[in-house]
Amino acid sequence: MRTTVRQCLAGVGRLLVAALILASAPARAENWTVASEDYFPPYNFTERGKRTGMDTEIVDAMLKDIGVYPVHRPMAWPEVVRAHDENEVDVAFQFFTSPRRLERGHLIGPYRVGATVLMVRSNSEITYARIDDLQGLRIGVVDGFEYTPEFDKSPLFERVSSSSNVVSFRRLLLGRVDAIAGDLQVLRYLADSEGRTGSVKILPKPLAMVPRYISVPKLRAEKAERLQAAYEKLKRDGTIDAIVRQWER
């Protein structure tokens, strides 16, 4: 009888020890899927097998602040939008605000403001002050990208679509388009990485200054609240602005 009691007490003791160990152990990391365009430097791209870039670092910092591990899913931009809108991922970036985006996601930010500009060849005489100045031109754009409402709807010029900024940039160099539209930092990075900074120039007046947002699908409101809190904290303490300054060219 005494042996049985001792065995029962020993078993209870082992259970208590196990419970204490579990209670003191750190919680298992929570994983969130993060969608972004596969190659959009300097904001998001893969280097030596690791996702990096200005916006990637900002998103990673926000997720780290709430104890979440990012599982990055790089894909073509139309797929980023589709995966977000069909609730297949937890987070996607980088968007700007519009009625459609507000209807389909919780926008976090703005975490930075980007300039949408026109790039031309260095010997080009094209100038831009208003949309009428683009009449008759062939302008390279990327499939699925939105630039400005006026630019996207204008019938004054031809939009020549491509699969990426890299393709648009090379078409510009070959003279197949008169100009390309894109983000200032992206186009500068492309010209520098291709060794062609002397072959192109960016027109001084931007098409627009565009605030950029991270988005969480509408059905994931609780995650959006947590990410919003992290954004507010890291924006307030200067972490986000420091990451932006580190990457700007």
Side-chain angles (χ1 to χ4, degrees):
M1 180 71 175
R2 290 178 182 177
T3 301
T4 302
V5 171
R6 283 199 298 270
Q7 288 173 340
C8 289
L9 290 174
V12 171
R14 285 193 294 270
L15 289 173
L16 288 173
V17 169
L20 288 171
I21 291 172
L22 288 172
S24 61
R28 186 177 178 181
E30 184 179 356
N31 297 335
W32 288 14
T33 53
V34 180
S36 63
E37 188 179 358
D38 54 356
Y39 188 71
F40 196 57
Y43 300 119
N44 29 283
F45 59 105
T46 302
E47 187 173 65
R48 292 190 282 277
K50 182 180 184 299
R51 291 298 282 173
T52 188
M54 181 194 297
D55 290 5
T56 304
E57 285 193 9
I58 289 170
V59 171
D60 284 356
M62 291 166 60
L63 294 180
K64 182 179 179 180
D65 187 73
I66 58 175
V68 168
Y69 181 82
V71 178
H72 289 284
R73 289 179 55 189
M75 55 187 78
W77 179 249
E79 276 298 296
V80 173
V81 176
R82 186 203 60 77
H84 171 278
D85 291 353
E86 294 183 11
N87 195 35
E88 294 179 359
V89 296
D90 296 300
V91 179
F93 64 94
Q94 49 276 68
F95 293 98
F96 62 85
T97 185
S98 69
R100 180 183 178 86
R101 289 297 106 219
L102 291 169
E103 176 187 339
R104 300 194 175 199
H106 303 274
L107 297 182
I108 313 297
Y111 59 93
R112 66 172 172 83
V113 176
T116 301
V117 298
L118 292 170
M119 174 180 276
V120 299
R121 291 180 293 279
S122 57
N123 61 355
S124 173
E125 296 182 0
I126 294 171
T127 60
Y128 168 72
R130 56 197 183 111
I131 202 75
D132 293 354
D133 296 330
L134 306 180
Q135 185 163 359
L137 299 181
R138 302 182 79 238
I139 301 179
V141 297
V142 177
D143 287 331
F145 279 24
E146 296 175 273
Y147 295 88
T148 74
E150 182 182 42
F151 180 89
D152 294 339
K153 295 176 183 177
S154 176
L156 295 173
F157 55 88
E158 180 185 357
R159 280 167 289 277
V160 181
S161 295
S162 66
S163 59
S164 69
N165 281 293
V166 174
V167 175
S168 286
F169 182 75
R170 290 174 181 167
R171 284 178 176 169
L172 176 65
L173 294 177
L174 292 170
R176 294 176 182 171
V177 293
D178 302 300
I180 59 175
D183 179 272
L184 173 65
Q185 297 296 328
V186 170
L187 298 185
R188 280 181 174 170
Y189 187 98
L190 266 174
D192 187 38
S193 62
E194 298 267 335
R196 301 301 297 268
T197 54
S199 303
V200 293
K201 62 184 178 182
I202 291 171
L203 300 185
K205 179 180 172 63
L207 291 171
M209 298 300 294
V210 185
R212 294 291 180 174
Y213 295 81
I214 300 156
S215 190
V216 176
K218 270 294 185 186
L219 294 177
R220 309 193 186 207
E222 184 269 339
K223 290 184 175 180
E225 289 177 6
R226 293 167 63 191
L227 201 61
Q228 178 68 32
Y231 161 75
E232 291 173 2
K233 176 184 173 183
L234 299 187
K235 188 68 176 174
R236 187 169 56 248
D237 69 16
T239 298
I240 291 175
D241 291 340
I243 294 171
V244 171
R245 287 193 301 271
Q246 176 187 338
W247 281 93
E248 282 183 335
R249 290 173 177 252

